[in-house]
Amino acid sequence: MTRSAEAALLLTASVIAAFGTALVGFTRGIGLDAQVALTFIVFVGAFGSVHLSLRRWAPSANPYLFPLAAILAAVGLTEVYRLDPELGSVQRWSLLIAAAAASALIFVLRGDGVAVLRRYRYLFLTFGVALLLLPLLPDTWAVRGIEANGSRLWVGFDLPGRTVSFQPGEIAKLLLAVFLASYLADHHLAMGTTRRKIGRLALPPLRQFGPILLAAAAAFAVLVYQRDLGASLLLFALFVGAIYLATGQLAYIVAGAVLVVAGGAASYQMFSHVQRRVGAWLDPFADFSDAGYQVAQSLFALGSGSLTGSGVGMGRPDLIPAAATDFIFAAVAEEMGFAGAVAVIATFALLVAAGFGIALHTRDLFRRFLAACLTLVLAVQTLLILAGVLRLFPITGITLPFMSYGGTSLVANMLLLAMLARISHGARV
Amino acid sequence: MNGPIRHLAGVIFVAFAVLVGAVTYLQVIRGPEYRDDPRNLRVATGRAGKERGTIITADGVIVARSAADPNDPQLFRRTYPEGESYAHVVGYATLIFGAAGIEQTRSAALVSDRDATISGVLNAILGGDIRPQGLRLSIVDDLQQAAVIALGEQYGAVVALDPDTGAILAMVSNPGFDPTSLQGRDAGPAGNALDADPGEPLRNRAVNATYPPGSVFKIITAAAALEAGIAGGGTTFDDPLTLELPGSTATISNYDGEVCANGDIVTLTQALVSSCNTTFGALGMQVGAEQLVTRAEAFGFNQEIPFDLDTLTSVIPGAESFANDLPGVAQSAIGQRDVRATPLQMALVGAAVANDGEIMQPYLVQQVFNSAGEVESEATPAVWRRAMSPASAASLTDLMEKAVVAGTGFRAQIPGFRVAGKTGTAEVPGGPPDAWFIGFGPVDAAPGEGRVVVAVVVEDGGTAGTNGTGGSIAAPIAKSVMESFLGQ
């Protein structure tokens, strides 16, 4: 029953994606063309394969995860395709690859697969940190790091005719979530107790926190070295959130917040591109033609969108630099208006709610922590970039899950959903 | 163990709610402000390439049109077939340099409703007229071209209008530019060059430049004296070589440095005909600052002129600023000191004399017509203000006609027609004088038969340089325009 509902919802999302491509075609004066059919086929193929994998290997998994992701992907692809048909075409193939990866992960995690993850946590930690280190590979190597916009986040290698690049950090956050969930499942009891006190201040048990702090420090050192402060913030939120989940002690959140402020102040002093971004955040119009240009253009887009938007293909989101990646939400808000923007936020909120629901309904500690950590990653990433676009926070340069142009991000977030789906299957059995 | 997850989820949902609040604030509350920000290119680019309405003159000459691009029927190109001669009146609407002239002020009528707004789409579906409206200007091409030719290479402006309706019949400013050059790919360098040109070719000197009016201001001084009952045409004044100014070492002398008439006594009529500074300086002091400023404001000084183009306001300092400054009053009475006027304002001064003391509201747009050529709205003549009584206007007409028949304005004489006028040669510190002429004719036309008022200013003495005067430089230009009007 639930799987049939899922199939119907996925088909609806596929029709919406095809409709989006058709709209772009009409506003470009091309009309209906093969691209519309291609979008529909790719969506049906991608989400159909995930759906069939779920039917086979996780039949009682939560049926809303992938339909919610599919509708976000449909809206995102429509806007990316509208901004640049070539990027849209690439994004379509990325979706196929991401769906294949998610299906494969559902297969790998069949039976006791999730429990196996728990045993190899240090392997995942090592892999995770290694992935974070990859962009530091020298420029001259066949597989090399690539720097863009002041951050060194990409790894690329040459295939005949083109360069393939990806962001290993996107995958690393999943591995680190698995490590954290596993470690905390084994040690949360000890971590929740306090052995020593200095006056009224209770000190946490260093023995249990040692490894986790080391892991966190290693991850941050790498990210700060690469100057990817958005991902640093995301990982930091993951570590602090996970420790709070395990101990239930609010003090960690407070301590974490203090560290974020201190770290933020320090990076403001150290990095010129952080200063630019903070300046653009505080007053984008002060340096309109330079640092504030992007944020100001985003505000123009939001304002021009008004209630119902200009209509797909009828606005000018192309005026915003990096509209297809960091500012995809501003593009959606301009062309689909306030109504579309709120719908997107609500869809993300539903997805996050489904994730936390899975965590709450899972008895096994590891799975429960893993579901919560994965949901936390998804939620914090979404909040960080949306808060950036909406000027509640400086722009951090991370992608909006399922919507921004970017293959690695799409693959990582589909894998994240695959894990959540597999955990939810276990919970319901 | 559910507590922490619930709490964390709670915090995250509050954060999502804050996002919705932020979207509401940015899109709905602050939205219009961002949408209309001049730096938001959407407004301008949205209009670029769209069809704009045709602009024609009163006699049907096309001065602005949009034609579909042969390569892309969705794209329209704007051209200005008459080029420089209508550049300042018609203006331009560009992506990079903004807009000017009628293209700017009447943009709402000229843009197409063929857009992506809900009302635009609905209108198209319901078969409504979504093509832009066109404008018929009040300008008559013959007069406009006569003014362009008469002004020639000289910097300055010409305004011609119908005193009975306020319709502008010609408006020329030189130097000019070709508005078509601001369209298309080379608009950037072309516009920058125009902007940087010290001759300010983009400025419409007819409405957006003020000059010291010099002796043409004597019309207002005479009107103030007539209205106050201080003097009439036959009133006599002393005729000194120079006018001593009380409490000051400064003096006022006449243009040629001679006495006005016989060196004994001179009538007001003689003084206006010969444009005597000594007489009008003395008359100004006799009238007083209060009456002089009040009368100038009745003619439109210090008032915003309601017009189809943005205009500068002509100024005379307030009466209170002349307390204990009789020399200032005397100098202001001959249009010097801090008195500044636009050519349009001085045309309206001429119109007041021609139209029994009443100034009609000037206008440039005669008709708005739809894409089928049907008239949608038409300008209705309206009185702007009363400058003086009909009796004073009749006296001034008489004085000004004599100034043309037997005075400084003789170069504006047209055989067979009665022309009235007044010259001005305004001193400009450190440079040649600005040459003025305002006049009208035919004086004896019956109401409804048609008369024309012409105001001319030529900067820096025109082709005559330091020797240039209103009579030698400006009056012949006004004559050419009036001849064109009279069909000569």
Side-chain angles (χ1 to χ4, degrees):
Chain A
M1 176 58 206
T2 55
R3 293 267 79 84
S4 308
E6 181 185 72
L9 289 172
L10 289 173
L11 192 65
T12 310
S14 304
V15 170
I16 290 173
F19 184 67
T21 303
L23 268 182
V24 175
F26 277 118
T27 52
R28 281 180 180 261
I30 305 164
L32 282 174
D33 62 357
Q35 298 297 324
V36 178
L38 200 55
T39 298
F40 184 72
I41 290 166
V42 165
F43 261 74
V44 168
F47 287 101
S49 79
V50 172
H51 171 71
L52 291 178
S53 306
L54 289 174
R55 264 189 197 274
R56 181 80 178 78
W57 294 300
S60 69
N62 184 306
Y64 303 113
L65 294 174
F66 283 100
L68 289 169
I71 190 70
L72 290 172
V75 173
L77 176 69
T78 298
E79 206 52 49
V80 169
Y81 182 71
R82 174 254 177 276
L83 285 162
D84 185 345
E86 214 154 295
L87 291 188
S89 168
V90 173
Q91 181 79 341
R92 235 170 6 206
W93 300 125
S94 300
L95 181 63
L96 269 186
I97 295 168
S103 303
L105 187 61
I106 293 165
F107 167 73
V108 169
L109 296 181
R110 74 193 186 282
D112 259 352
V114 177
V116 172
L117 288 180
R118 182 176 183 173
R119 277 186 240 151
Y120 298 104
R121 60 171 171 256
Y122 286 107
L123 188 65
F124 289 124
L125 175 63
T126 313
F127 259 126
V129 173
L131 281 176
L132 288 175
L133 282 169
L134 268 185
L136 297 179
L137 291 173
D139 292 353
T140 48
W141 290 18
V143 177
R144 60 186 187 278
I146 297 174
E147 186 167 330
N149 306 324
S151 301
R152 198 177 177 94
L153 307 178
W154 286 268
V155 173
F157 55 90
D158 292 322
L159 286 181
R162 63 174 300 175
T163 301
V164 176
S165 61
F166 63 102
Q167 258 180 299
E170 291 274 352
I171 309 289
K173 72 191 180 194
L174 298 184
L175 299 178
L176 291 174
V178 173
F179 162 76
L180 272 177
S182 168
Y183 190 87
L184 294 173
D186 284 357
H187 297 284
H188 78 280
L189 283 178
M191 290 170 77
T193 61
T194 50
R195 300 262 171 80
R196 275 169 289 175
K197 288 190 175 187
I198 299 173
R200 295 183 59 187
L201 190 68
L203 286 183
L206 194 65
R207 202 177 125 78
Q208 276 71 31
F209 272 96
I212 213 168
L213 289 178
L214 272 179
F220 294 140
V222 170
L223 289 175
V224 170
Y225 188 63
Q226 292 166 3
R227 298 208 225 149
D228 182 8
L229 297 172
S232 304
L233 210 50
L234 175 58
L235 278 191
F236 190 77
L238 171 62
F239 277 92
V240 172
I243 292 171
Y244 172 71
L245 285 175
T247 62
Q249 287 175 8
L250 209 60
Y252 293 114
I253 304 258
V254 176
V258 170
L259 279 178
V260 165
V261 172
S267 56
Y268 182 81
Q269 296 296 326
M270 282 160 60
F271 303 118
S272 62
H273 77 289
V274 174
Q275 288 170 13
R276 275 171 63 90
R277 283 181 171 181
V278 171
W281 169 54
L282 291 176
D283 187 0
F285 296 102
D287 189 9
F288 173 75
S289 57
D290 186 23
Y293 186 77
Q294 193 175 33
V295 176
Q297 288 300 331
S298 163
L299 291 177
F300 291 159
L302 288 167
S304 305
S306 197
L307 275 178
T308 52
S310 60
V312 174
M314 310 296 275
R316 289 301 305 275
D318 53 313
L319 292 174
I320 318 168
T325 53
D326 293 7
F327 282 88
I328 190 75
F329 182 75
V332 169
E334 176 177 356
E335 300 214 310
M336 306 184 193
F338 173 72
V342 171
V344 165
I345 295 175
T347 309
F348 275 112
L350 284 175
L351 197 53
V352 169
F356 281 125
I358 290 166
L360 285 173
H361 288 104
T362 306
R363 251 180 256 146
D364 175 63
L365 262 188
F366 168 62
R367 290 165 197 236
R368 172 203 279 281
F369 282 147
L370 183 55
C373 284
L374 292 172
T375 307
L376 193 62
V377 167
L378 184 70
V380 172
Q381 180 161 359
T382 305
L383 290 172
L384 273 182
I385 185 62
L386 289 187
V389 171
L390 295 175
R391 247 194 98 199
L392 296 169
F393 201 75
I395 282 294
T396 44
I398 52 181
T399 57
L400 183 60
F402 305 109
M403 294 184 71
S404 288
Y405 170 73
T408 326
S409 166
L410 201 52
V411 169
N413 287 306
M414 288 288 275
L415 289 177
L416 189 154
L417 284 197
M419 276 197 257
L420 273 180
R422 194 37 231 184
I423 292 167
S424 69
H425 172 68
R428 283 164 182 250
V429 165
Chain B
M1 283 305 293
N2 280 347
I5 296 181
R6 286 187 198 282
H7 293 152
L8 212 51
V11 170
I12 283 170
F13 288 128
V14 168
F16 274 112
V18 171
L19 288 185
V20 172
V23 170
T24 313
Y25 176 70
L26 293 178
Q27 290 209 271
V28 181
I29 299 172
R30 295 286 296 277
E33 180 189 329
Y34 292 134
R35 189 184 58 224
D36 301 333
D37 191 293
R39 291 165 292 193
N40 186 351
L41 282 178
R42 283 167 185 77
V43 183
T45 52
R47 286 183 186 156
K50 288 237 173 74
E51 184 178 14
R52 290 177 71 87
T54 305
I55 304 177
I56 60 174
T57 65
D59 44 349
V61 175
I62 294 173
V63 291
R65 74 185 333 157
S66 282
D69 189 315
N71 301 317
D72 182 356
Q74 296 289 314
L75 265 184
F76 286 86
R77 288 185 184 285
R78 191 77 163 157
T79 53
Y80 303 91
E82 297 298 313
E84 286 202 11
S85 47
Y86 287 85
H88 298 101
V89 170
V90 174
Y92 48 85
T94 70
L95 199 54
I96 307 170
F97 282 96
I102 287 292
E103 286 270 49
Q104 179 196 20
T105 56
R106 290 301 188 100
S107 197
L110 290 167
V111 295
S112 161
D113 288 334
R114 192 200 310 244
D115 60 20
T117 62
I118 288 176
S119 62
V121 171
L122 266 184
N123 220 343
I125 291 172
L126 297 174
D129 186 3
I130 55 171
R131 296 197 55 202
Q133 295 173 321
L135 302 177
R136 181 188 292 272
L137 302 180
S138 54
I139 289 192
V140 178
D141 190 52
D142 289 345
L143 268 71
Q144 183 82 356
Q145 302 301 346
V148 168
I149 291 165
L151 194 54
E153 296 296 309
Q154 305 174 103
Y155 286 13
V158 178
V159 177
L161 57 80
D162 178 345
D164 298 318
T165 61
I168 300 290
L169 303 176
M171 180 175 279
V172 172
S173 175
N174 195 54
F177 61 98
D178 181 2
T180 309
S181 71
L182 292 175
Q183 307 286 318
R185 288 173 192 278
D186 302 324
N192 284 330
L194 289 172
D195 219 21
D197 190 328
E200 298 189 88
L202 292 175
R203 182 190 292 273
N204 183 353
R205 285 163 157 81
V207 291
N208 278 324
T210 58
Y211 302 86
S215 296
V216 285
F217 192 80
K218 288 171 184 165
I219 297 169
I220 292 174
T221 305
L226 291 169
E227 287 292 303
I230 291 172
T235 310
T236 55
F237 296 83
D238 291 338
D239 187 12
L241 191 62
T242 56
L243 176 66
E244 307 287 331
L245 297 178
S248 164
T249 54
T251 56
I252 288 179
S253 52
N254 295 321
Y255 180 76
D256 53 7
E258 300 290 326
V259 294
C260 184
N262 55 15
D264 182 14
I265 56 164
V266 59
T267 62
L268 183 63
T269 306
Q270 282 174 304
L272 193 104
V273 166
S274 304
S275 196
C276 296
N277 295 337
T278 47
T279 318
F280 274 89
L283 180 61
M285 290 190 284
Q286 211 177 325
V287 165
E290 189 86 27
Q291 298 275 5
L292 190 67
V293 173
T294 304
R295 192 52 47 199
E297 288 182 347
F299 274 89
F301 279 69
N302 297 340
Q303 319 289 324
E304 201 173 307
I305 302 174
F307 190 48
D308 288 316
L309 299 176
D310 294 330
T311 63
L312 281 182
T313 296
S314 302
V315 289
I316 181 167
E320 69 286 348
S321 69
F322 292 111
N324 309 317
D325 184 16
L326 270 179
V329 180
Q331 288 161 342
S332 298
I334 58 170
Q336 298 288 163
R337 200 61 178 251
D338 296 323
V339 181
R340 295 289 181 276
T342 60
L344 174 64
Q345 172 61 55
M346 294 321 288
L348 294 178
V349 169
V353 179
N355 194 38
D356 297 331
E358 265 187 346
I359 302 177
M360 303 302 287
Q361 183 174 321
Y363 62 88
L364 254 177
V365 177
Q366 184 81 49
Q367 288 174 350
V368 179
F369 53 88
N370 62 22
S371 58
E374 295 156 352
V375 175
E376 301 244 306
S377 67
E378 193 142 10
T380 43
V383 176
W384 178 38
R385 58 199 309 117
R386 172 163 284 285
M388 58 189 157
S389 65
S392 300
S395 303
L396 279 173
T397 304
D398 185 43
L399 291 176
M400 287 169 68
E401 191 179 356
K402 290 196 169 85
V404 171
V405 171
T408 53
F410 70 92
R411 287 191 182 84
Q413 292 168 3
I414 301 171
F417 294 94
R418 291 176 60 191
V419 175
K422 179 74 196 79
T423 59
T425 308
E427 290 172 30
V428 179
D434 288 335
W436 279 93
F437 184 86
I438 60 180
F440 61 94
V443 170
D444 54 352
E449 257 183 20
R451 290 173 298 167
V452 64
V453 175
V454 182
V456 177
V457 67
V458 179
E459 292 176 11
D460 302 333
T463 50
T466 42
N467 296 324
T469 63
S472 66
I473 293 296
I477 297 172
K479 179 188 174 185
S480 297
V481 177
M482 283 192 267
E483 279 179 332
S484 171
F485 177 83
L486 298 168
Q488 292 282 294

